[in-house]
């Protein structure tokens, strides 16, 4: 049973596969017992071929492939369902998240798990994105936080470490990855943020990530508000001593 399952959804990222895997190995080898799960989400380039070639010499790498693109949230769900560890780390496959930050997020989760923290979210305080994307994301994060009270300044950051059990206990819907802190809190858990490094995309072009713009995700926000309104948390005042249940 590994300490950590790292799940990465990718679509047409052939130029970034090898470099990112090497960075993950440099960051985690000898630090954590881990497995690496790549979910190829219907790529039309050489992404799957490169992953299969790399897997032949790296037994910690597992490759799952969707016949057609299903979106980032569904690809993540596929990988998390197959994960062996009780702790999940996610990051984007474009190389903008820094794998060197994973151990710090993992340690934060381990340190605060007893106090109810189930998710540690990366905070890209110094973003390396286009001006338009930075502004729209800042606006979306501000309004999302105001409406959902998710206590997270950067919910769109792909770098997260969280409890697999807590994740599987919440309702699944498309674009869930954008609302994971709010849904974890709604499920009774606590979340915290840790500042992480963010880098410019060096190779390829963006495929995931455009759902962080408020005017695209407004219906998702309304849906999450509805889910929150339909959730109840009973207070148990008596627990049976019967060990058979």
């Amino acid at each position: 049973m590994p300490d950590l399952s790292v799940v990465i959804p990718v679509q047409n990222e052939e130029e970034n596969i090898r470099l990112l895997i090497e960075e993950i190995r440099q960051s985690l080898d000898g630090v954590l017992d881990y497995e690496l799960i790549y979910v190829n989400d219907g790529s039309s380039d050489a992404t799957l071929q490169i992953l299969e070639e790399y897997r032949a010499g790296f037994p910690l790498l597992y490759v799952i492939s969707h016949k057609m693109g299903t979106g980032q949230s569904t690809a993540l769900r596929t990988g998390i369902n197959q994960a062996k560890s009780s702790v999940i780390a996610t990051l984007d496959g474009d190389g903008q998240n820094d794998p060197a930050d994973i151990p710090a997020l993992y340690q934060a989760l381990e340190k605060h798990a007893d106090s109810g923290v189930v998710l540690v979210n990366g905070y890209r305080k110094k973003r390396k994105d286009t001006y338009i994307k930075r502004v729209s994301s800042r606006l979306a994060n501000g309004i999302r936080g105001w409406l959902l009270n998710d206590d997270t300044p950067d919910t769109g950051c792909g770098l997260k470490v969280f409890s697999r059990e807590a994740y599987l206990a919440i309702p699944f819907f498309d674009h869930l990855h954008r609302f994971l802190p709010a849904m974890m809190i709604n499920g009774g858990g606590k979340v915290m943020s840790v500042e992480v490094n963010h880098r410019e995309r060096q190779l390829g072009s963006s495929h995931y990530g455009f759902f962080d713009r408020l005017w695209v995700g407004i219906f998702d926000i309304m849906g999450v508000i509805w889910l929150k309104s339909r959730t109840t948390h009973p207070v148990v005042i008596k627990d049976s001593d019967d060990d058979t249940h």
Side-chain angles (χ1 to χ4, degrees):
M1 184 71 69
D3 298 324
L4 182 68
S5 295
V6 182
V7 180
I8 305 177
V10 286
Q11 185 182 83
N12 296 335
E13 291 287 0
E14 60 183 2
E15 296 172 293
N16 290 301
I17 298 296
R18 292 187 178 91
L19 178 60
L20 183 56
I21 293 178
E22 287 299 322
E23 286 191 318
I24 291 170
R25 297 183 70 173
Q26 292 171 12
S27 301
L28 299 184
D29 284 0
V31 178
L32 290 169
D33 182 12
Y34 71 98
E35 64 174 354
L36 176 58
I37 302 174
Y38 261 82
V39 182
N40 168 47
D41 191 31
S43 296
S44 58
D45 64 359
T47 291
L48 180 57
Q49 178 184 345
I50 293 170
L51 284 169
E52 292 290 359
E53 290 173 353
Y54 201 105
R55 182 175 180 272
F58 184 38
L60 297 183
L61 173 62
Y62 299 88
V63 180
I64 306 170
S65 191
H66 290 168
K67 183 177 181 179
M68 297 181 294
T70 59
Q72 190 169 354
S73 286
T74 302
L76 282 169
R77 184 78 169 191
T78 295
I80 293 168
N81 276 331
Q82 296 298 315
K84 296 183 178 70
S85 177
S86 61
V87 180
I88 304 295
T90 65
L91 67 159
D92 295 333
D94 57 11
Q96 288 193 262
N97 299 136
D98 191 345
D101 289 316
I102 295 176
L105 270 65
Y106 176 85
Q107 291 164 10
L109 182 66
E110 291 290 292
K111 180 179 180 180
H112 297 283
D114 288 344
S115 63
V117 173
V118 295
L119 179 146
V120 180
N121 202 95
Y123 175 26
R124 301 165 294 179
K125 191 172 184 178
K126 299 177 180 178
R127 293 192 61 167
K128 304 295 183 180
D129 281 319
T130 64
Y131 175 76
I132 293 298
K133 190 167 185 178
R134 290 199 308 271
V135 171
S136 61
S137 182
R138 189 176 297 117
L139 175 64
N141 274 316
I143 296 180
R144 184 188 293 115
W146 174 59
L147 290 173
L148 301 181
N149 193 28
D150 59 10
D151 195 29
T152 305
D154 188 13
T155 61
C157 181
L159 184 53
K160 296 176 171 68
V161 175
F162 51 87
S163 160
R164 180 176 183 268
E165 180 181 12
Y167 169 87
L168 293 176
I170 62 179
F172 175 76
F173 55 91
D174 199 13
H175 310 164
L176 170 62
H177 68 285
R178 294 290 176 188
F179 302 94
L180 206 50
M183 294 305 296
M184 289 287 198
I185 293 172
N186 192 55
K190 297 179 181 178
V191 304
M192 62 182 295
S193 296
V194 172
E195 187 173 340
V196 296
N197 185 31
H198 192 240
R199 309 178 293 192
E200 294 180 3
R201 175 187 268 273
Q202 300 297 321
L203 300 168
S205 58
S206 177
H207 305 284
Y208 291 135
F210 48 88
F211 286 114
D212 59 358
R213 288 150 174 85
L214 176 64
W215 50 87
V216 176
I218 189 67
F219 292 109
D220 295 323
I221 292 177
M222 294 301 103
V224 173
I225 291 174
W226 181 85
L227 282 172
K228 285 166 61 70
S229 72
R230 313 303 286 186
T231 302
T232 58
H233 296 287
V235 177
V236 177
I237 60 173
K238 180 175 176 57
D239 189 8
S240 173
D241 292 330
D242 186 358
D243 294 330
T244 61
H245 293 86

